[in-house]
């Protein structure tokens, strides 16, 4: 429910974006591992049969064997820096498709299974929180024990002015049988 107001922004406003005391870490994952990580995350969504419209609360918090009361929102992760679709008409485990990343010229190219990426996560997820595959055993390449909340505050202070357009990256989409899914509410 955090909101950054128009006009002057306080440290408290920024701190409200990330309420946990988690620290930032980074690990190395292969593209194949990232795809499986995303497949695990895509279990958050209930299956659909058509392109909608569907209400957001009708397709989220899917019941699984690990989450018999529904998958909590904090167990839906996205991976920024790669582009992909989540096809909710497909069975769990085969929903991620069109996994690409921008090359040096910014052209989206398919991701080869062995390609390695550095993935930033919080220490809760990296230590196994949520049960995501590979992340807790991946090689750590960054861990300065700095709280994410403080890093956000420091970054915002250094910027001086925040531009909302800097924060949106349409790098993933929900689809049904390859057709963009219309989600309402």
């Amino acid at each position: 429910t955090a909101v950054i107001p128009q006009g002057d922004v306080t440290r408290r406003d920024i701190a409200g974006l990330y309420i946990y005391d988690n620290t930032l870490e980074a690990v190395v994952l292969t593209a194949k591992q990232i795809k499986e990580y995303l497949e695990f995350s895509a279990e958050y969504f209930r299956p659909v049969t058509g392109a909608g419209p569907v209400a957001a609360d009708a397709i989220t918090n899917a019941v699984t064997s690990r989450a018999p009361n529904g998958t909590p929102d904090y167990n839906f992760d996205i991976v920024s820096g790669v582009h992909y679709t989540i096809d909710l008409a497909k069975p769990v485990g085969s929903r991620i498709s069109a996994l690409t990343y921008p090359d040096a010229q910014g052209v989206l190219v398919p991701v080869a299974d062995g390609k390695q990426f550095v993935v930033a996560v919080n220490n809760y997820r990296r230590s196994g929180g949520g049960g995501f595959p590979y992340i807790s055993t991946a090689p750590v390449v960054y861990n300065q024990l700095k709280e994410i909340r403080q890093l956000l505050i420091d970054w915002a202070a250094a910027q001086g002015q925040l531009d909302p357009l800097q924060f949106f990256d349409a790098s993933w989409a929900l689809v049904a049988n390859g057709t963009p899914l219309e989600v309402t509410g």
Side-chain angles (χ1 to χ4, degrees):
T1 60
V3 175
I4 299 295
Q6 187 172 8
D8 292 339
V9 176
T10 67
R11 289 179 182 269
R12 182 178 182 167
D13 294 327
I14 301 297
L17 293 174
Y18 200 92
I19 61 173
Y20 302 104
D21 293 333
N22 298 58
T23 59
L24 181 66
E25 297 188 29
V27 299
V28 176
L29 294 178
T30 66
K32 183 177 187 286
Q33 291 171 326
I34 288 174
K35 185 173 183 188
E36 290 180 34
Y37 186 97
L38 290 169
E39 288 288 358
F40 183 91
S41 182
E43 291 180 13
Y44 169 72
F45 294 104
R46 297 176 187 159
V48 300
T49 56
V54 296
D57 62 356
I59 61 169
T60 57
N61 308 105
V63 171
T64 69
S65 59
R66 287 183 300 280
N69 295 320
T71 305
D73 297 338
Y74 58 80
N75 264 359
F76 172 64
D77 283 6
I78 63 166
V79 176
S80 185
V82 294
H83 294 248
Y84 56 96
T85 60
I86 304 171
D87 196 327
L88 300 187
K90 295 194 176 179
V92 167
S94 60
R95 290 178 162 181
I96 303 300
S97 61
L99 186 60
T100 59
Y101 74 101
D103 67 8
Q105 290 74 39
V107 176
L108 293 178
V109 296
V111 176
D113 281 350
K115 180 147 181 70
Q116 293 187 332
F117 293 88
V118 174
V119 179
V121 295
N122 65 37
N123 65 303
Y124 166 77
R125 185 70 78 225
R126 222 281 306 143
S127 67
F132 281 73
Y134 305 111
I135 204 77
S136 66
T137 58
V140 176
V141 294
Y142 175 86
N143 184 2
Q144 298 295 314
L145 300 175
K146 295 182 179 180
E147 285 187 11
I148 294 170
R149 180 178 41 233
Q150 188 61 51
L151 291 170
L152 288 170
I153 291 168
D154 294 347
W155 180 86
Q159 295 301 302
Q161 184 174 359
L162 302 178
D163 179 358
L165 297 177
Q166 287 182 293
F167 299 99
F168 179 71
D169 179 17
S171 62
W172 63 277
L174 295 175
V175 300
N177 293 314
T179 301
L181 189 63
E182 183 183 345
V183 180
T184 61

Coordinates of all heavy atoms in Angstrom, one line a residue, residues 103-164:
D103 N 20.8 -7.9 -26.1 CA 22.3 -8.0 -26.3 C 22.9 -6.6 -26.2 O 22.2 -5.7 -25.8 CB 22.6 -8.7 -27.7 CG 22.2 -7.8 -28.9 OD1 21.8 -6.7 -28.7 OD2 22.2 -8.4 -30.0
A104 N 24.2 -6.5 -26.5 CA 24.9 -5.2 -26.4 C 24.2 -4.1 -27.2 O 24.4 -2.9 -26.8 CB 26.3 -5.4 -26.8
Q105 N 23.5 -4.4 -28.2 CA 22.9 -3.4 -29.0 C 21.4 -3.2 -28.6 O 20.7 -2.4 -29.2 CB 22.9 -3.8 -30.5 CG 24.3 -3.7 -31.2 CD 25.2 -4.8 -30.7 OE1 24.8 -5.9 -30.6 NE2 26.5 -4.5 -30.5
G106 N 21.0 -3.9 -27.6 CA 19.6 -3.8 -27.1 C 18.6 -4.6 -27.9 O 17.4 -4.5 -27.6
V107 N 19.1 -5.5 -28.8 CA 18.2 -6.4 -29.5 C 17.9 -7.6 -28.6 O 18.8 -8.2 -28.1 CB 18.9 -6.8 -30.8 CG1 18.0 -7.9 -31.6 CG2 19.2 -5.6 -31.7
L108 N 16.6 -8.0 -28.5 CA 16.3 -9.2 -27.7 C 16.7 -10.5 -28.5 O 16.3 -10.7 -29.6 CB 14.8 -9.2 -27.4 CG 14.3 -8.1 -26.5 CD1 12.8 -8.2 -26.3 CD2 15.0 -8.1 -25.2
V109 N 17.5 -11.3 -27.8 CA 17.9 -12.6 -28.4 C 17.5 -13.7 -27.4 O 17.4 -13.5 -26.2 CB 19.4 -12.5 -28.6 CG1 19.8 -11.5 -29.6 CG2 20.2 -12.3 -27.3
P110 N 17.3 -14.9 -28.0 CA 16.9 -16.0 -27.1 C 18.1 -16.3 -26.2 O 19.2 -16.2 -26.5 CB 16.7 -17.2 -28.1 CG 16.5 -16.5 -29.4 CD 17.2 -15.2 -29.4
V111 N 17.7 -16.8 -25.0 CA 18.6 -17.1 -24.0 C 19.0 -18.6 -24.1 O 18.2 -19.5 -24.1 CB 18.0 -16.9 -22.6 CG1 19.0 -17.3 -21.5 CG2 17.7 -15.4 -22.4
A112 N 20.3 -18.9 -24.3 CA 20.8 -20.2 -24.3 C 20.9 -20.8 -22.9 O 21.2 -20.1 -22.0 CB 22.2 -20.2 -25.0
D113 N 20.6 -22.1 -22.7 CA 20.5 -22.7 -21.4 C 21.7 -22.5 -20.5 O 21.6 -22.3 -19.4 CB 20.2 -24.2 -21.5 CG 18.8 -24.5 -21.8 OD1 17.9 -23.6 -21.7 OD2 18.5 -25.7 -22.1
G114 N 22.9 -22.5 -21.1 CA 24.1 -22.4 -20.3 C 24.6 -21.0 -20.0 O 25.5 -20.8 -19.2
K115 N 23.9 -20.0 -20.6 CA 24.3 -18.6 -20.4 C 24.2 -18.3 -18.9 O 23.2 -18.7 -18.3 CB 23.5 -17.6 -21.2 CG 23.8 -16.2 -21.0 CD 23.7 -15.3 -22.2 CE 24.1 -13.9 -21.9 NZ 25.5 -13.7 -21.8
Q116 N 25.1 -17.6 -18.3 CA 25.0 -17.2 -16.9 C 24.6 -15.8 -16.7 O 25.0 -14.9 -17.5 CB 26.4 -17.5 -16.2 CG 26.8 -18.9 -16.2 CD 28.0 -19.2 -15.4 OE1 28.9 -18.3 -15.3 NE2 28.1 -20.4 -14.8
F117 N 23.9 -15.5 -15.6 CA 23.4 -14.2 -15.3 C 23.7 -14.0 -13.8 O 23.6 -14.9 -13.0 CB 21.9 -14.1 -15.5 CG 21.5 -14.1 -16.9 CD1 21.3 -15.3 -17.6 CD2 21.4 -13.0 -17.7 CE1 20.9 -15.4 -18.9 CE2 21.0 -13.0 -19.0 CZ 20.8 -14.2 -19.6
V118 N 24.0 -12.8 -13.4 CA 24.0 -12.4 -12.0 C 22.6 -11.9 -11.6 O 22.0 -11.1 -12.3 CB 25.1 -11.3 -11.8 CG1 25.0 -10.8 -10.3 CG2 26.5 -11.8 -12.1
V119 N 22.1 -12.5 -10.6 CA 20.7 -12.2 -10.1 C 20.8 -11.7 -8.7 O 21.3 -12.3 -7.8 CB 19.9 -13.5 -10.1 CG1 18.5 -13.3 -9.7 CG2 19.9 -14.2 -11.5
A120 N 20.2 -10.5 -8.6 CA 20.1 -9.8 -7.3 C 18.8 -10.3 -6.5 O 17.8 -10.4 -7.1 CB 20.0 -8.3 -7.4
V121 N 19.0 -10.7 -5.3 CA 17.9 -11.2 -4.4 C 18.1 -10.6 -3.0 O 19.2 -10.2 -2.7 CB 17.8 -12.7 -4.4 CG1 17.4 -13.2 -5.8 CG2 19.1 -13.3 -3.9
N122 N 17.0 -10.7 -2.2 CA 17.2 -10.4 -0.8 C 17.7 -11.6 -0.1 O 17.7 -12.8 -0.5 CB 16.0 -9.8 -0.2 CG 14.8 -10.8 -0.1 OD1 15.0 -12.0 0.1 ND2 13.6 -10.3 -0.3
N123 N 18.3 -11.4 1.1 CA 18.9 -12.5 1.9 C 17.8 -13.6 2.3 O 18.2 -14.7 2.5 CB 19.6 -12.0 3.1 CG 18.7 -11.3 4.1 OD1 18.0 -10.4 3.8 ND2 18.8 -11.8 5.3
Y124 N 16.6 -13.2 2.5 CA 15.5 -14.1 2.8 C 15.4 -15.1 1.7 O 15.4 -16.3 1.9 CB 14.2 -13.4 3.1 CG 13.0 -14.3 3.1 CD1 12.7 -15.1 4.2 CD2 12.1 -14.4 2.0 CE1 11.6 -15.9 4.2 CE2 11.0 -15.2 2.0 CZ 10.8 -16.0 3.1 OH 9.7 -16.9 3.1
R125 N 15.2 -14.7 0.5 CA 15.1 -15.6 -0.7 C 16.3 -16.4 -0.9 O 16.3 -17.6 -1.1 CB 14.8 -14.7 -1.9 CG 14.4 -15.6 -3.1 CD 13.1 -16.3 -3.0 NE 12.0 -15.4 -3.3 CZ 10.9 -15.4 -2.6 NH1 10.7 -16.2 -1.5 NH2 9.9 -14.6 -2.8
R126 N 17.5 -15.7 -0.8 CA 18.8 -16.4 -1.0 C 19.0 -17.5 0.0 O 19.6 -18.5 -0.3 CB 19.9 -15.4 -1.0 CG 21.0 -15.6 -2.0 CD 22.0 -16.6 -1.8 NE 22.8 -16.6 -0.6 CZ 23.2 -17.7 0.0 NH1 22.9 -18.8 -0.4 NH2 23.8 -17.6 1.1
S127 N 18.5 -17.3 1.2 CA 18.7 -18.4 2.2 C 17.7 -19.5 2.2 O 17.7 -20.4 3.0 CB 18.7 -17.7 3.6 OG 17.4 -17.2 3.9
G128 N 16.8 -19.5 1.1 CA 15.9 -20.5 0.9 C 14.5 -20.2 1.2 O 13.5 -21.0 1.0
G129 N 14.2 -18.9 1.6 CA 12.8 -18.5 1.9 C 11.9 -18.6 0.7 O 12.3 -18.1 -0.4
G130 N 10.8 -19.3 0.8 CA 9.9 -19.5 -0.3 C 10.2 -20.8 -1.1 O 9.3 -21.2 -1.9
G131 N 11.3 -21.4 -0.8 CA 11.6 -22.7 -1.5 C 11.9 -22.7 -2.9 O 11.8 -23.7 -3.6
F132 N 12.3 -21.5 -3.5 CA 12.7 -21.4 -4.9 C 13.9 -22.2 -5.2 O 14.8 -22.3 -4.4 CB 12.9 -19.9 -5.2 CG 11.7 -19.1 -5.4 CD1 10.9 -18.7 -4.3 CD2 11.3 -18.7 -6.7 CE1 9.8 -18.0 -4.5 CE2 10.1 -17.9 -6.9 CZ 9.4 -17.6 -5.8
P133 N 13.9 -22.8 -6.4 CA 15.0 -23.7 -6.8 C 16.3 -22.9 -7.0 O 16.2 -21.8 -7.5 CB 14.5 -24.4 -8.0 CG 13.5 -23.5 -8.6 CD 12.9 -22.8 -7.5
Y134 N 17.4 -23.6 -6.7 CA 18.8 -23.1 -7.1 C 19.3 -22.0 -6.3 O 20.5 -21.8 -6.1 CB 18.9 -22.8 -8.6 CG 18.5 -23.9 -9.5 CD1 17.3 -23.9 -10.2 CD2 19.2 -25.1 -9.5 CE1 16.9 -24.9 -11.0 CE2 18.9 -26.2 -10.3 CZ 17.7 -26.1 -11.1 OH 17.3 -27.1 -11.9
I135 N 18.4 -21.1 -5.8 CA 18.9 -19.8 -5.3 C 19.7 -19.9 -4.0 O 20.7 -19.2 -3.8 CB 17.7 -18.8 -5.1 CG1 18.2 -17.4 -5.2 CG2 16.9 -19.1 -3.9 CD1 18.4 -16.9 -6.5
S136 N 19.4 -20.9 -3.2 CA 20.1 -21.0 -1.9 C 21.5 -21.7 -2.1 O 22.3 -21.6 -1.2 CB 19.3 -21.8 -0.9 OG 19.1 -23.1 -1.3
T137 N 21.7 -22.4 -3.2 CA 23.0 -23.1 -3.4 C 23.8 -22.4 -4.5 O 24.9 -22.9 -4.8 CB 22.7 -24.5 -3.8 OG1 21.9 -24.6 -4.9 CG2 22.1 -25.3 -2.6
A138 N 23.3 -21.3 -5.1 CA 24.0 -20.6 -6.2 C 25.2 -19.9 -5.6 O 25.2 -19.4 -4.5 CB 23.1 -19.7 -6.9
P139 N 26.3 -19.8 -6.4 CA 27.5 -19.0 -6.0 C 27.1 -17.6 -5.7 O 26.5 -16.9 -6.6 CB 28.4 -19.1 -7.2 CG 27.9 -20.3 -8.0 CD 26.4 -20.4 -7.8
V140 N 27.5 -17.1 -4.6 CA 27.3 -15.7 -4.2 C 28.4 -14.8 -4.7 O 29.6 -15.1 -4.5 CB 27.2 -15.6 -2.6 CG1 27.0 -14.1 -2.2 CG2 26.0 -16.4 -2.1
V141 N 28.0 -13.8 -5.4 CA 29.0 -12.8 -5.9 C 29.0 -11.5 -5.3 O 29.8 -10.6 -5.5 CB 29.0 -12.7 -7.5 CG1 29.3 -14.1 -8.1 CG2 27.6 -12.3 -7.9
Y142 N 27.9 -11.2 -4.5 CA 27.8 -9.9 -3.8 C 27.0 -10.2 -2.5 O 25.9 -10.8 -2.5 CB 27.0 -8.9 -4.7 CG 26.8 -7.6 -3.9 CD1 27.7 -6.6 -3.9 CD2 25.6 -7.4 -3.2 CE1 27.5 -5.4 -3.2 CE2 25.4 -6.2 -2.5 CZ 26.3 -5.2 -2.6 OH 26.1 -4.1 -1.9
N143 N 27.6 -9.7 -1.4 CA 26.9 -9.7 -0.1 C 27.7 -8.7 0.8 O 28.6 -9.1 1.5 CB 26.9 -11.1 0.5 CG 26.1 -11.1 1.8 OD1 25.6 -10.1 2.2 ND2 26.1 -12.2 2.5
Q144 N 27.3 -7.5 0.7 CA 27.9 -6.4 1.6 C 27.1 -6.2 2.9 O 27.4 -5.2 3.6 CB 28.0 -5.1 0.8 CG 28.8 -5.2 -0.5 CD 30.3 -5.5 -0.2 OE1 30.9 -4.9 0.7 NE2 30.9 -6.5 -0.9
L145 N 26.1 -7.0 3.1 CA 25.3 -6.9 4.3 C 24.6 -5.5 4.5 O 24.5 -4.9 5.6 CB 26.1 -7.2 5.6 CG 26.7 -8.6 5.6 CD1 27.5 -8.8 6.9 CD2 25.6 -9.7 5.6
K146 N 24.2 -4.9 3.3 CA 23.6 -3.6 3.3 C 22.1 -3.8 3.2 O 21.6 -4.5 2.3 CB 24.1 -2.8 2.2 CG 25.6 -2.4 2.4 CD 26.1 -1.5 1.3 CE 27.5 -1.1 1.6 NZ 28.1 -0.3 0.6
E147 N 21.3 -3.2 4.1 CA 19.8 -3.3 4.0 C 19.3 -2.7 2.8 O 19.7 -1.5 2.4 CB 19.2 -2.6 5.3 CG 19.4 -3.4 6.5 CD 18.6 -2.8 7.7 OE1 17.7 -1.9 7.4 OE2 18.8 -3.2 8.8
I148 N 18.4 -3.4 2.1 CA 17.8 -2.9 0.9 C 17.0 -1.6 1.1 O 17.1 -0.7 0.3 CB 16.8 -4.0 0.3 CG1 17.7 -5.2 -0.1 CG2 16.0 -3.4 -0.8 CD1 16.9 -6.4 -0.5
R149 N 16.3 -1.5 2.3 CA 15.6 -0.2 2.6 C 16.6 1.0 2.6 O 16.3 2.0 2.0 CB 14.9 -0.4 3.9 CG 14.1 0.8 4.3 CD 13.4 0.6 5.6 NE 14.1 -0.1 6.6 CZ 13.7 -1.2 7.2 NH1 12.5 -1.7 7.0 NH2 14.4 -1.8 8.1
Q150 N 17.7 0.8 3.2 CA 18.7 1.9 3.3 C 19.3 2.2 1.9 O 19.5 3.3 1.6 CB 19.8 1.6 4.3 CG 20.7 2.8 4.6 CD 19.9 4.0 5.1 OE1 19.2 3.9 6.1 NE2 20.1 5.2 4.5
L151 N 19.6 1.1 1.1 CA 20.1 1.3 -0.2 C 19.1 2.1 -1.1 O 19.5 3.0 -1.8 CB 20.4 0.0 -0.9 CG 21.5 -0.8 -0.3 CD1 21.6 -2.2 -0.9 CD2 22.8 -0.1 -0.6
L152 N 17.8 1.9 -0.9 CA 16.8 2.6 -1.6 C 16.7 4.1 -1.2 O 16.7 5.0 -2.0 CB 15.4 2.0 -1.4 CG 15.1 0.7 -2.1 CD1 13.8 0.1 -1.6 CD2 15.1 0.9 -3.6
I153 N 16.8 4.3 0.1 CA 16.8 5.7 0.6 C 18.1 6.4 0.1 O 18.0 7.6 -0.4 CB 16.8 5.7 2.2 CG1 15.4 5.2 2.7 CG2 17.2 7.1 2.7 CD1 15.4 4.9 4.2
D154 N 19.2 5.8 0.2 CA 20.5 6.4 -0.3 C 20.4 6.7 -1.8 O 20.8 7.8 -2.3 CB 21.7 5.5 0.0 CG 22.0 5.4 1.4 OD1 21.4 6.1 2.3 OD2 22.7 4.4 1.8
W155 N 19.8 5.8 -2.6 CA 19.7 6.0 -4.0 C 18.8 7.2 -4.3 O 19.1 8.0 -5.1 CB 19.2 4.7 -4.7 CG 19.1 4.9 -6.2 CD1 20.0 4.7 -7.1 CD2 17.9 5.2 -6.9 NE1 19.5 4.9 -8.4 CE2 18.2 5.3 -8.2 CE3 16.6 5.6 -6.5 CZ2 17.3 5.6 -9.2 CZ3 15.7 5.9 -7.5 CH2 16.0 5.9 -8.8
A156 N 17.6 7.2 -3.7 CA 16.7 8.3 -3.9 C 17.3 9.6 -3.5 O 17.1 10.6 -4.2 CB 15.4 8.0 -3.1
A157 N 18.0 9.7 -2.4 CA 18.6 10.9 -2.0 C 19.7 11.4 -3.0 O 19.7 12.6 -3.3 CB 19.3 10.8 -0.6
A158 N 20.4 10.5 -3.6 CA 21.4 10.8 -4.6 C 20.8 11.3 -5.9 O 21.3 12.2 -6.6 CB 22.3 9.6 -4.8
Q159 N 19.6 10.8 -6.2 CA 18.9 11.2 -7.4 C 18.4 12.6 -7.3 O 18.4 13.3 -8.3 CB 17.7 10.3 -7.7 CG 18.1 8.8 -8.0 CD 19.0 8.7 -9.2 OE1 18.6 9.2 -10.3 NE2 20.1 8.1 -9.0
G160 N 17.9 13.0 -6.2 CA 17.4 14.3 -6.0 C 15.9 14.5 -6.5 O 15.1 15.2 -5.9
Q161 N 15.6 13.8 -7.6 CA 14.3 13.9 -8.2 C 14.0 12.5 -8.7 O 14.8 11.9 -9.4 CB 14.2 14.9 -9.3 CG 12.8 15.1 -9.8 CD 12.8 16.2 -10.8 OE1 13.7 16.9 -11.1 NE2 11.6 16.4 -11.4
L162 N 12.8 12.0 -8.5 CA 12.4 10.7 -8.9 C 11.5 10.8 -10.1 O 10.5 11.6 -10.1 CB 11.7 9.9 -7.8 CG 12.5 9.7 -6.5 CD1 11.7 9.0 -5.5 CD2 13.8 9.0 -6.8
D163 N 11.7 10.0 -11.1 CA 10.9 10.0 -12.3 C 10.2 8.6 -12.4 O 10.8 7.6 -12.6 CB 11.7 10.2 -13.6 CG 10.9 10.1 -14.9 OD1 9.7 9.9 -14.8 OD2 11.6 10.3 -15.9
P164 N 8.8 8.6 -12.2 CA 8.1 7.3 -12.2 C 8.4 6.5 -13.5 O 8.3 5.2 -13.4 CB 6.6 7.7 -12.2 CG 6.6 9.1 -11.7 CD 7.9 9.7 -12.1

